[in-house]
């Protein structure tokens, strides 16, 4: 007598792809990508990382970039659930870390409501990677005892791309720490104006990093008073992080140049 076959149950892995450079993937992230049946990926994921998935894996672009939203978050949630319920191992691949402005919390809620087994695989967030590439500490005694990750975009479905979030600007200006501004290239002028109005020293060092960890990386150093104008004049088009704080003055130019030489040689 034949035995009944167990039900096929899919699962979902919300995986951080890191800041861009494939070599900054974690071992666990690599293993999940290599075992994917369905890969739902963001615009910020490097194509070389997508190539690590098996040939049979279905690749679906669900990316959202500033001003270009191909798919709503609700639709992405439904897609993850549907493929997992069909028995697939779904890898939701996100730039950076899934839990840092990655909406992984919303996806976890949808998966839990549908009864789908899910896990989160953390990734290196761009603030850490960009600072490391410059030999720059994000915190250091005598310079910065706190790190604040903020978004320059309101991040609500349907909001315009130039809507500024409601941060506590007075607290940020007074913290004497490091401020990492994600997704802020379009609102950077507003962000810096709010910080200056809240009392932040106009001479506070700042630096914008476009396409961090990639061969196309650009760095624009300045101060909180002029960094928005520098970013606008440079006409950045790639994802751009801005770091503000006294630690920015500690970045090592020799480390910057040698690190970028290595990145460019790998990309050649």
């Amino acid at each position: 007598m034949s035995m009944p076959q167990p039900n096929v149950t899919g699962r979902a892995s919300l995986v951080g792809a890191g800041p861009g450079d494939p070599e900054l993937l974690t071992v666990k992230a690599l293993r999940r990508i290599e075992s994917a049946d369905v890969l739902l990926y963001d615009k910020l994921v490097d194509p070389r990382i997508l190539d690590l998935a098996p040939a049979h894996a279905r690749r679906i672009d669900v990316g959202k970039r500033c001003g270009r939203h191909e798919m709503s978050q609700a639709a992405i949630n439904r897609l993850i659930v549907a493929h997992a319920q069909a028995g697939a191992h779904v890898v939701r691949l996100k730039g950076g870390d899934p839990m840092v402005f990655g909406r992984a919390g919303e996806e976890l809620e949808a998966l839990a409501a549908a009864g789908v087994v899910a896990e989160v695989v953390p990734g290196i967030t761009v603030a850490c990677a960009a600072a490391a590439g410059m030999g720059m500490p994000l915190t250091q005694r005598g310079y910065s005892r706190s790190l604040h990750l903020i978004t320059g975009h309101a991040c609500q479905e349907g909001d315009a791309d130039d809507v500024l979030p409601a941060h506590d600007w007075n607290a940020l200006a007074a913290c004497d720490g490091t401020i990492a501004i994600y997704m802020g290239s379009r609102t950077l002028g507003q962000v810096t104006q709010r910080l200056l109005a809240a009392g932040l020293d106009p001479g506070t060092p700042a630096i914008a990093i476009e396409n961090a960890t990639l061969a196309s990386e650009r760095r624009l150093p300045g101060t909180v008073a002029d960094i928005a104008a520098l970013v606008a004049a440079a006409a950045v088009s790639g994802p751009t992080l801005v770091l503000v704080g006294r630690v920015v003055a500690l970045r090592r130019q020799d480390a910057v140049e040698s690190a970028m030489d290595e990145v460019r040689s790998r990309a050649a």
Side-chain angles (χ1 to χ4, degrees), residues 57-88:
R58 181 177 177 185
R59 294 159 173 80
I60 304 174
D61 181 354
V62 296
K64 294 191 286 292
R65 284 287 301 277
C66 198
R68 301 187 296 278
H69 303 306
E70 279 80 3
M71 189 177 294
S72 70
Q73 186 60 51
I76 293 172
N77 295 348
R78 290 193 294 271
L79 200 56
I80 301 171
V81 168
H83 282 289
Q85 288 181 331

PDB file of all heavy atoms in Angstrom, residues 57-88:
ATOM      1  N   ALA A  57      16.023  29.121 -11.503  1.00  0.00           N
ATOM      2  CA  ALA A  57      15.293  30.055 -10.639  1.00  0.00           C
ATOM      3  C   ALA A  57      14.610  31.133 -11.478  1.00  0.00           C
ATOM      4  O   ALA A  57      15.207  31.724 -12.378  1.00  0.00           O
ATOM      5  CB  ALA A  57      16.246  30.693  -9.633  1.00  0.00           C
ATOM      6  N   ARG A  58      13.379  31.392 -11.140  1.00  0.00           N
ATOM      7  CA  ARG A  58      12.639  32.463 -11.819  1.00  0.00           C
ATOM      8  C   ARG A  58      13.036  33.798 -11.203  1.00  0.00           C
ATOM      9  O   ARG A  58      13.004  33.960  -9.982  1.00  0.00           O
ATOM     10  CB  ARG A  58      11.143  32.241 -11.674  1.00  0.00           C
ATOM     11  CG  ARG A  58      10.301  33.291 -12.381  1.00  0.00           C
ATOM     12  CD  ARG A  58       8.825  32.989 -12.271  1.00  0.00           C
ATOM     13  NE  ARG A  58       8.028  34.036 -12.895  1.00  0.00           N
ATOM     14  CZ  ARG A  58       6.699  34.085 -12.864  1.00  0.00           C
ATOM     15  NH1 ARG A  58       6.021  33.106 -12.256  1.00  0.00           N
ATOM     16  NH2 ARG A  58       6.056  35.067 -13.446  1.00  0.00           N
ATOM     17  N   ARG A  59      13.409  34.749 -12.033  1.00  0.00           N
ATOM     18  CA  ARG A  59      13.855  36.060 -11.563  1.00  0.00           C
ATOM     19  C   ARG A  59      12.780  37.098 -11.863  1.00  0.00           C
ATOM     20  O   ARG A  59      12.377  37.259 -13.022  1.00  0.00           O
ATOM     21  CB  ARG A  59      15.183  36.447 -12.227  1.00  0.00           C
ATOM     22  CG  ARG A  59      16.352  35.553 -11.821  1.00  0.00           C
ATOM     23  CD  ARG A  59      17.476  35.626 -12.839  1.00  0.00           C
ATOM     24  NE  ARG A  59      18.681  34.907 -12.400  1.00  0.00           N
ATOM     25  CZ  ARG A  59      18.852  33.610 -12.470  1.00  0.00           C
ATOM     26  NH1 ARG A  59      17.885  32.847 -12.973  1.00  0.00           N
ATOM     27  NH2 ARG A  59      19.980  33.040 -12.059  1.00  0.00           N
ATOM     28  N   ILE A  60      12.349  37.804 -10.830  1.00  0.00           N
ATOM     29  CA  ILE A  60      11.269  38.792 -10.986  1.00  0.00           C
ATOM     30  C   ILE A  60      11.735  40.130 -10.426  1.00  0.00           C
ATOM     31  O   ILE A  60      12.073  40.243  -9.246  1.00  0.00           O
ATOM     32  CB  ILE A  60       9.982  38.340 -10.257  1.00  0.00           C
ATOM     33  CG1 ILE A  60       9.550  36.957 -10.744  1.00  0.00           C
ATOM     34  CG2 ILE A  60       8.869  39.362 -10.472  1.00  0.00           C
ATOM     35  CD1 ILE A  60       8.382  36.372  -9.976  1.00  0.00           C
ATOM     36  N   ASP A  61      11.747  41.139 -11.276  1.00  0.00           N
ATOM     37  CA  ASP A  61      12.142  42.489 -10.873  1.00  0.00           C
ATOM     38  C   ASP A  61      10.956  43.173 -10.205  1.00  0.00           C
ATOM     39  O   ASP A  61       9.946  43.450 -10.840  1.00  0.00           O
ATOM     40  CB  ASP A  61      12.584  43.271 -12.112  1.00  0.00           C
ATOM     41  CG  ASP A  61      13.029  44.690 -11.799  1.00  0.00           C
ATOM     42  OD1 ASP A  61      12.901  45.124 -10.640  1.00  0.00           O
ATOM     43  OD2 ASP A  61      13.484  45.378 -12.730  1.00  0.00           O
ATOM     44  N   VAL A  62      11.073  43.422  -8.911  1.00  0.00           N
ATOM     45  CA  VAL A  62      10.000  44.114  -8.177  1.00  0.00           C
ATOM     46  C   VAL A  62      10.530  45.426  -7.601  1.00  0.00           C
ATOM     47  O   VAL A  62       9.983  45.969  -6.642  1.00  0.00           O
ATOM     48  CB  VAL A  62       9.417  43.229  -7.056  1.00  0.00           C
ATOM     49  CG1 VAL A  62       8.750  42.004  -7.643  1.00  0.00           C
ATOM     50  CG2 VAL A  62      10.493  42.833  -6.046  1.00  0.00           C
ATOM     51  N   GLY A  63      11.612  45.917  -8.187  1.00  0.00           N
ATOM     52  CA  GLY A  63      12.326  47.049  -7.619  1.00  0.00           C
ATOM     53  C   GLY A  63      11.559  48.346  -7.637  1.00  0.00           C
ATOM     54  O   GLY A  63      10.752  48.604  -8.530  1.00  0.00           O
ATOM     55  N   LYS A  64      11.852  49.163  -6.614  1.00  0.00           N
ATOM     56  CA  LYS A  64      11.311  50.515  -6.519  1.00  0.00           C
ATOM     57  C   LYS A  64      12.491  51.458  -6.393  1.00  0.00           C
ATOM     58  O   LYS A  64      13.350  51.281  -5.543  1.00  0.00           O
ATOM     59  CB  LYS A  64      10.384  50.654  -5.313  1.00  0.00           C
ATOM     60  CG  LYS A  64       9.123  49.830  -5.424  1.00  0.00           C
ATOM     61  CD  LYS A  64       8.118  50.203  -4.356  1.00  0.00           C
ATOM     62  CE  LYS A  64       8.531  49.676  -2.996  1.00  0.00           C
ATOM     63  NZ  LYS A  64       8.460  48.225  -2.922  1.00  0.00           N
ATOM     64  N   ARG A  65      12.529  52.450  -7.244  1.00  0.00           N
ATOM     65  CA  ARG A  65      13.528  53.499  -7.146  1.00  0.00           C
ATOM     66  C   ARG A  65      12.809  54.827  -7.108  1.00  0.00           C
ATOM     67  O   ARG A  65      11.677  54.958  -7.565  1.00  0.00           O
ATOM     68  CB  ARG A  65      14.481  53.467  -8.358  1.00  0.00           C
ATOM     69  CG  ARG A  65      15.505  52.359  -8.304  1.00  0.00           C
ATOM     70  CD  ARG A  65      16.588  52.617  -7.278  1.00  0.00           C
ATOM     71  NE  ARG A  65      17.282  53.863  -7.557  1.00  0.00           N
ATOM     72  CZ  ARG A  65      18.272  53.984  -8.434  1.00  0.00           C
ATOM     73  NH1 ARG A  65      18.662  52.940  -9.131  1.00  0.00           N
ATOM     74  NH2 ARG A  65      18.860  55.150  -8.613  1.00  0.00           N
ATOM     75  N   CYS A  66      13.486  55.832  -6.591  1.00  0.00           N
ATOM     76  CA  CYS A  66      12.894  57.143  -6.419  1.00  0.00           C
ATOM     77  C   CYS A  66      12.273  57.630  -7.735  1.00  0.00           C
ATOM     78  O   CYS A  66      12.953  57.772  -8.740  1.00  0.00           O
ATOM     79  CB  CYS A  66      13.972  58.124  -5.958  1.00  0.00           C
ATOM     80  SG  CYS A  66      13.323  59.609  -5.215  1.00  0.00           S
ATOM     81  N   GLY A  67      10.958  57.845  -7.719  1.00  0.00           N
ATOM     82  CA  GLY A  67      10.264  58.330  -8.898  1.00  0.00           C
ATOM     83  C   GLY A  67       9.815  57.243  -9.858  1.00  0.00           C
ATOM     84  O   GLY A  67       9.099  57.515 -10.815  1.00  0.00           O
ATOM     85  N   ARG A  68      10.202  55.975  -9.607  1.00  0.00           N
ATOM     86  CA  ARG A  68       9.860  54.889 -10.508  1.00  0.00           C
ATOM     87  C   ARG A  68       9.444  53.675  -9.681  1.00  0.00           C
ATOM     88  O   ARG A  68      10.264  52.876  -9.277  1.00  0.00           O
ATOM     89  CB  ARG A  68      11.058  54.534 -11.411  1.00  0.00           C
ATOM     90  CG  ARG A  68      11.548  55.678 -12.254  1.00  0.00           C
ATOM     91  CD  ARG A  68      12.615  55.228 -13.248  1.00  0.00           C
ATOM     92  NE  ARG A  68      13.814  54.738 -12.583  1.00  0.00           N
ATOM     93  CZ  ARG A  68      14.777  55.530 -12.123  1.00  0.00           C
ATOM     94  NH1 ARG A  68      14.655  56.835 -12.188  1.00  0.00           N
ATOM     95  NH2 ARG A  68      15.854  55.023 -11.562  1.00  0.00           N
ATOM     96  N   HIS A  69       8.146  53.550  -9.458  1.00  0.00           N
ATOM     97  CA  HIS A  69       7.632  52.460  -8.623  1.00  0.00           C
ATOM     98  C   HIS A  69       6.916  51.450  -9.527  1.00  0.00           C
ATOM     99  O   HIS A  69       5.767  51.645  -9.906  1.00  0.00           O
ATOM    100  CB  HIS A  69       6.677  52.991  -7.556  1.00  0.00           C
ATOM    101  CG  HIS A  69       7.306  54.033  -6.672  1.00  0.00           C
ATOM    102  ND1 HIS A  69       8.482  53.817  -6.000  1.00  0.00           N
ATOM    103  CD2 HIS A  69       6.918  55.283  -6.359  1.00  0.00           C
ATOM    104  CE1 HIS A  69       8.802  54.892  -5.291  1.00  0.00           C
ATOM    105  NE2 HIS A  69       7.876  55.801  -5.506  1.00  0.00           N
ATOM    106  N   GLU A  70       7.624  50.369  -9.888  1.00  0.00           N
ATOM    107  CA  GLU A  70       7.054  49.393 -10.792  1.00  0.00           C
ATOM    108  C   GLU A  70       5.942  48.571 -10.140  1.00  0.00           C
ATOM    109  O   GLU A  70       5.006  48.162 -10.791  1.00  0.00           O
ATOM    110  CB  GLU A  70       8.154  48.439 -11.311  1.00  0.00           C
ATOM    111  CG  GLU A  70       8.982  48.997 -12.455  1.00  0.00           C
ATOM    112  CD  GLU A  70      10.067  49.952 -11.989  1.00  0.00           C
ATOM    113  OE1 GLU A  70      10.205  50.121 -10.764  1.00  0.00           O
ATOM    114  OE2 GLU A  70      10.762  50.514 -12.842  1.00  0.00           O
ATOM    115  N   MET A  71       6.043  48.317  -8.845  1.00  0.00           N
ATOM    116  CA  MET A  71       5.087  47.456  -8.175  1.00  0.00           C
ATOM    117  C   MET A  71       4.856  47.954  -6.755  1.00  0.00           C
ATOM    118  O   MET A  71       5.804  48.329  -6.066  1.00  0.00           O
ATOM    119  CB  MET A  71       5.622  46.015  -8.154  1.00  0.00           C
ATOM    120  CG  MET A  71       4.632  44.984  -7.674  1.00  0.00           C
ATOM    121  SD  MET A  71       5.313  43.291  -7.757  1.00  0.00           S
ATOM    122  CE  MET A  71       5.485  43.074  -9.530  1.00  0.00           C
ATOM    123  N   SER A  72       3.612  47.955  -6.317  1.00  0.00           N
ATOM    124  CA  SER A  72       3.310  48.405  -4.960  1.00  0.00           C
ATOM    125  C   SER A  72       3.792  47.383  -3.948  1.00  0.00           C
ATOM    126  O   SER A  72       3.983  46.199  -4.269  1.00  0.00           O
ATOM    127  CB  SER A  72       1.806  48.619  -4.794  1.00  0.00           C
ATOM    128  OG  SER A  72       1.129  47.373  -4.803  1.00  0.00           O
ATOM    129  N   GLN A  73       3.966  47.822  -2.704  1.00  0.00           N
ATOM    130  CA  GLN A  73       4.397  46.899  -1.669  1.00  0.00           C
ATOM    131  C   GLN A  73       3.357  45.814  -1.429  1.00  0.00           C
ATOM    132  O   GLN A  73       3.699  44.644  -1.198  1.00  0.00           O
ATOM    133  CB  GLN A  73       4.684  47.652  -0.368  1.00  0.00           C
ATOM    134  CG  GLN A  73       5.268  46.776   0.724  1.00  0.00           C
ATOM    135  CD  GLN A  73       6.590  46.151   0.325  1.00  0.00           C
ATOM    136  OE1 GLN A  73       7.493  46.848  -0.121  1.00  0.00           O
ATOM    137  NE2 GLN A  73       6.713  44.842   0.468  1.00  0.00           N
ATOM    138  N   ALA A  74       2.087  46.172  -1.497  1.00  0.00           N
ATOM    139  CA  ALA A  74       1.025  45.179  -1.310  1.00  0.00           C
ATOM    140  C   ALA A  74       1.096  44.095  -2.384  1.00  0.00           C
ATOM    141  O   ALA A  74       0.908  42.900  -2.106  1.00  0.00           O
ATOM    142  CB  ALA A  74      -0.344  45.858  -1.329  1.00  0.00           C
ATOM    143  N   ALA A  75       1.398  44.493  -3.609  1.00  0.00           N
ATOM    144  CA  ALA A  75       1.509  43.521  -4.702  1.00  0.00           C
ATOM    145  C   ALA A  75       2.727  42.619  -4.506  1.00  0.00           C
ATOM    146  O   ALA A  75       2.673  41.412  -4.783  1.00  0.00           O
ATOM    147  CB  ALA A  75       1.598  44.246  -6.039  1.00  0.00           C
ATOM    148  N   ILE A  76       3.815  43.191  -4.017  1.00  0.00           N
ATOM    149  CA  ILE A  76       5.006  42.387  -3.732  1.00  0.00           C
ATOM    150  C   ILE A  76       4.698  41.363  -2.642  1.00  0.00           C
ATOM    151  O   ILE A  76       5.073  40.186  -2.746  1.00  0.00           O
ATOM    152  CB  ILE A  76       6.179  43.288  -3.306  1.00  0.00           C
ATOM    153  CG1 ILE A  76       6.630  44.165  -4.474  1.00  0.00           C
ATOM    154  CG2 ILE A  76       7.362  42.445  -2.797  1.00  0.00           C
ATOM    155  CD1 ILE A  76       7.647  45.225  -4.106  1.00  0.00           C
ATOM    156  N   ASN A  77       4.014  41.799  -1.600  1.00  0.00           N
ATOM    157  CA  ASN A  77       3.633  40.875  -0.517  1.00  0.00           C
ATOM    158  C   ASN A  77       2.832  39.699  -1.059  1.00  0.00           C
ATOM    159  O   ASN A  77       3.090  38.536  -0.718  1.00  0.00           O
ATOM    160  CB  ASN A  77       2.808  41.605   0.538  1.00  0.00           C
ATOM    161  CG  ASN A  77       3.595  42.682   1.272  1.00  0.00           C
ATOM    162  OD1 ASN A  77       4.816  42.761   1.162  1.00  0.00           O
ATOM    163  ND2 ASN A  77       2.895  43.510   2.017  1.00  0.00           N
ATOM    164  N   ARG A  78       1.862  39.996  -1.912  1.00  0.00           N
ATOM    165  CA  ARG A  78       1.022  38.926  -2.476  1.00  0.00           C
ATOM    166  C   ARG A  78       1.846  37.974  -3.331  1.00  0.00           C
ATOM    167  O   ARG A  78       1.618  36.755  -3.323  1.00  0.00           O
ATOM    168  CB  ARG A  78      -0.115  39.542  -3.307  1.00  0.00           C
ATOM    169  CG  ARG A  78      -1.171  40.272  -2.487  1.00  0.00           C
ATOM    170  CD  ARG A  78      -2.408  40.570  -3.316  1.00  0.00           C
ATOM    171  NE  ARG A  78      -2.136  41.514  -4.393  1.00  0.00           N
ATOM    172  CZ  ARG A  78      -2.224  42.837  -4.285  1.00  0.00           C
ATOM    173  NH1 ARG A  78      -2.604  43.375  -3.129  1.00  0.00           N
ATOM    174  NH2 ARG A  78      -1.973  43.634  -5.306  1.00  0.00           N
ATOM    175  N   LEU A  79       2.807  38.516  -4.054  1.00  0.00           N
ATOM    176  CA  LEU A  79       3.636  37.686  -4.929  1.00  0.00           C
ATOM    177  C   LEU A  79       4.513  36.729  -4.119  1.00  0.00           C
ATOM    178  O   LEU A  79       4.633  35.540  -4.457  1.00  0.00           O
ATOM    179  CB  LEU A  79       4.510  38.597  -5.795  1.00  0.00           C
ATOM    180  CG  LEU A  79       5.098  38.034  -7.079  1.00  0.00           C
ATOM    181  CD1 LEU A  79       4.000  37.494  -7.992  1.00  0.00           C
ATOM    182  CD2 LEU A  79       5.901  39.118  -7.801  1.00  0.00           C
ATOM    183  N   ILE A  80       5.115  37.228  -3.049  1.00  0.00           N
ATOM    184  CA  ILE A  80       5.932  36.356  -2.192  1.00  0.00           C
ATOM    185  C   ILE A  80       5.086  35.229  -1.624  1.00  0.00           C
ATOM    186  O   ILE A  80       5.463  34.050  -1.667  1.00  0.00           O
ATOM    187  CB  ILE A  80       6.567  37.163  -1.036  1.00  0.00           C
ATOM    188  CG1 ILE A  80       7.447  38.294  -1.564  1.00  0.00           C
ATOM    189  CG2 ILE A  80       7.402  36.238  -0.140  1.00  0.00           C
ATOM    190  CD1 ILE A  80       7.914  39.249  -0.467  1.00  0.00           C
ATOM    191  N   VAL A  81       3.925  35.581  -1.101  1.00  0.00           N
ATOM    192  CA  VAL A  81       3.034  34.592  -0.487  1.00  0.00           C
ATOM    193  C   VAL A  81       2.582  33.559  -1.519  1.00  0.00           C
ATOM    194  O   VAL A  81       2.606  32.344  -1.259  1.00  0.00           O
ATOM    195  CB  VAL A  81       1.816  35.295   0.151  1.00  0.00           C
ATOM    196  CG1 VAL A  81       0.745  34.268   0.534  1.00  0.00           C
ATOM    197  CG2 VAL A  81       2.240  36.101   1.375  1.00  0.00           C
ATOM    198  N   ALA A  82       2.192  34.023  -2.696  1.00  0.00           N
ATOM    199  CA  ALA A  82       1.660  33.105  -3.708  1.00  0.00           C
ATOM    200  C   ALA A  82       2.704  32.074  -4.135  1.00  0.00           C
ATOM    201  O   ALA A  82       2.409  30.870  -4.233  1.00  0.00           O
ATOM    202  CB  ALA A  82       1.179  33.906  -4.917  1.00  0.00           C
ATOM    203  N   HIS A  83       3.926  32.510  -4.380  1.00  0.00           N
ATOM    204  CA  HIS A  83       4.957  31.572  -4.812  1.00  0.00           C
ATOM    205  C   HIS A  83       5.348  30.609  -3.682  1.00  0.00           C
ATOM    206  O   HIS A  83       5.602  29.428  -3.926  1.00  0.00           O
ATOM    207  CB  HIS A  83       6.190  32.327  -5.307  1.00  0.00           C
ATOM    208  CG  HIS A  83       6.032  32.888  -6.692  1.00  0.00           C
ATOM    209  ND1 HIS A  83       6.006  32.100  -7.813  1.00  0.00           N
ATOM    210  CD2 HIS A  83       5.869  34.168  -7.122  1.00  0.00           C
ATOM    211  CE1 HIS A  83       5.854  32.858  -8.893  1.00  0.00           C
ATOM    212  NE2 HIS A  83       5.769  34.115  -8.502  1.00  0.00           N
ATOM    213  N   ALA A  84       5.398  31.108  -2.448  1.00  0.00           N
ATOM    214  CA  ALA A  84       5.726  30.232  -1.330  1.00  0.00           C
ATOM    215  C   ALA A  84       4.627  29.200  -1.104  1.00  0.00           C
ATOM    216  O   ALA A  84       4.913  28.020  -0.857  1.00  0.00           O
ATOM    217  CB  ALA A  84       5.949  31.069  -0.063  1.00  0.00           C
ATOM    218  N   GLN A  85       3.373  29.621  -1.212  1.00  0.00           N
ATOM    219  CA  GLN A  85       2.266  28.686  -1.030  1.00  0.00           C
ATOM    220  C   GLN A  85       2.201  27.655  -2.155  1.00  0.00           C
ATOM    221  O   GLN A  85       1.629  26.576  -1.975  1.00  0.00           O
ATOM    222  CB  GLN A  85       0.954  29.452  -0.939  1.00  0.00           C
ATOM    223  CG  GLN A  85       0.795  30.214   0.369  1.00  0.00           C
ATOM    224  CD  GLN A  85      -0.517  30.951   0.467  1.00  0.00           C
ATOM    225  OE1 GLN A  85      -1.090  31.360  -0.541  1.00  0.00           O
ATOM    226  NE2 GLN A  85      -1.009  31.141   1.684  1.00  0.00           N
ATOM    227  N   ALA A  86       2.826  27.977  -3.288  1.00  0.00           N
ATOM    228  CA  ALA A  86       2.889  27.012  -4.395  1.00  0.00           C
ATOM    229  C   ALA A  86       4.039  26.029  -4.214  1.00  0.00           C
ATOM    230  O   ALA A  86       4.234  25.142  -5.051  1.00  0.00           O
ATOM    231  CB  ALA A  86       3.037  27.754  -5.723  1.00  0.00           C
ATOM    232  N   GLY A  87       4.809  26.177  -3.126  1.00  0.00           N
ATOM    233  CA  GLY A  87       5.863  25.223  -2.811  1.00  0.00           C
ATOM    234  C   GLY A  87       7.274  25.689  -3.095  1.00  0.00           C
ATOM    235  O   GLY A  87       8.222  24.919  -2.934  1.00  0.00           O
ATOM    236  N   ALA A  88       7.444  26.933  -3.518  1.00  0.00           N
ATOM    237  CA  ALA A  88       8.770  27.417  -3.891  1.00  0.00           C
ATOM    238  C   ALA A  88       9.534  27.975  -2.696  1.00  0.00           C
ATOM    239  O   ALA A  88       8.933  28.421  -1.709  1.00  0.00           O
ATOM    240  CB  ALA A  88       8.643  28.506  -4.956  1.00  0.00           C
TER     241      ALA A  88
END
